[in-house]
Amino acid sequence: MKNLNYPLTLKFKVAVINPQFSVADEMERPVAFVKQKAFKLKEDISVYKSAEQSNLLYKIKADRWLDYNASYSFLDSSGKESGRLVRKGARSLWKAEYELYDENGKQDLLIQEDNPWVRVADNFLGEIPFLGLLTGYLFNPTYNITRPDGTQVATFRKKPDLVSRAFTLEKNAAFEEGEETRLVLGVMMMVFLERARG
């Protein structure tokens, strides 16, 4: 997953047992189709080239069944690890924070929720009849993706939408070697975790 045309759009399919979404580029060409196995104790995500699910690109596997400080490895179709996403447990309870590591175990990116109050307002107001219908349009979290030196390389945000769940990934700086693949796979895993979080 490199040299993609940004922004990317991630759009969830509705009314399906296994959570899944498609990824398209700026020209609306398919980039990937991502599917989570339902009813698994440990997260098991498959990334395919298309919705036909005939060409497996990556697997994302959790190292434990509880996601408190869990690590999610990115494995290509041959089983080779290209990096991993780590959820920062206690810190992520209030403000979502994830670290991305390369294949050598060195941290190279950080994903941080911009404003946790957006999620709080969405959860709280979502329980109020009629007003809850508007929260998907009014409250849309943003996540900043930076290097350890503070350089912002990308922005991930939920799109305003009353019905479906759609997100965009925008590129803010040139990627370094291997960074793009880890970033895109990390965002794919994170969107499943954040969706479950609320």
Side-chain angles (χ1 to χ4, degrees), residues 39-180:
F39 315 115
K40 296 285 279 186
L41 289 177
K42 292 203 301 191
E43 301 288 351
D44 189 356
I45 312 294
S46 298
V47 181
Y48 299 95
K49 179 70 179 164
S50 67
E52 283 72 42
Q53 303 175 45
S54 57
N55 187 358
L56 180 68
L57 300 176
Y58 291 92
K59 294 284 279 179
I60 304 175
K61 296 237 179 207
D63 67 341
R64 65 192 79 178
W65 69 276
L66 287 175
D67 69 349
Y68 188 79
N69 274 347
S71 176
Y72 305 89
S73 296
F74 310 137
L75 308 170
D76 67 17
S77 56
S78 68
K80 182 182 175 188
E81 185 174 337
S82 58
R84 62 192 167 92
L85 176 78
V86 176
R87 183 178 186 167
K88 301 315 291 178
R91 281 185 279 173
S92 285
L93 292 176
W94 166 244
K95 185 176 182 179
E97 187 171 312
Y98 299 85
E99 293 174 352
L100 281 163
Y101 291 83
D102 67 17
E103 65 277 10
N104 300 313
K106 180 183 174 190
Q107 184 192 347
D108 63 350
L109 293 169
L110 177 67
I111 304 173
Q112 287 184 305
E113 189 174 14
D114 185 51
N115 183 354
W117 285 108
V118 171
R119 183 174 35 82
V120 170
D122 185 23
N123 288 342
F124 177 72
L125 295 176
E127 299 300 318
I128 300 172
F130 303 111
L131 186 59
L133 297 172
L134 299 175
T135 60
Y137 194 80
L138 298 173
F139 302 107
N140 301 291
T142 297
Y143 302 84
N144 300 311
I145 305 165
T146 60
R147 295 190 183 111
D149 67 4
T151 303
Q152 184 157 336
V153 295
T155 307
F156 183 68
R157 61 176 47 100
K158 183 181 173 296
K159 293 172 81 172
D161 198 322
L162 290 175
V163 181
S164 68
R165 291 282 182 184
F167 302 83
T168 58
L169 178 62
E170 297 169 16
K171 179 179 174 182
N172 301 124
F175 295 121
E176 295 177 354
E177 183 64 32
E179 219 173 43
E180 184 173 20

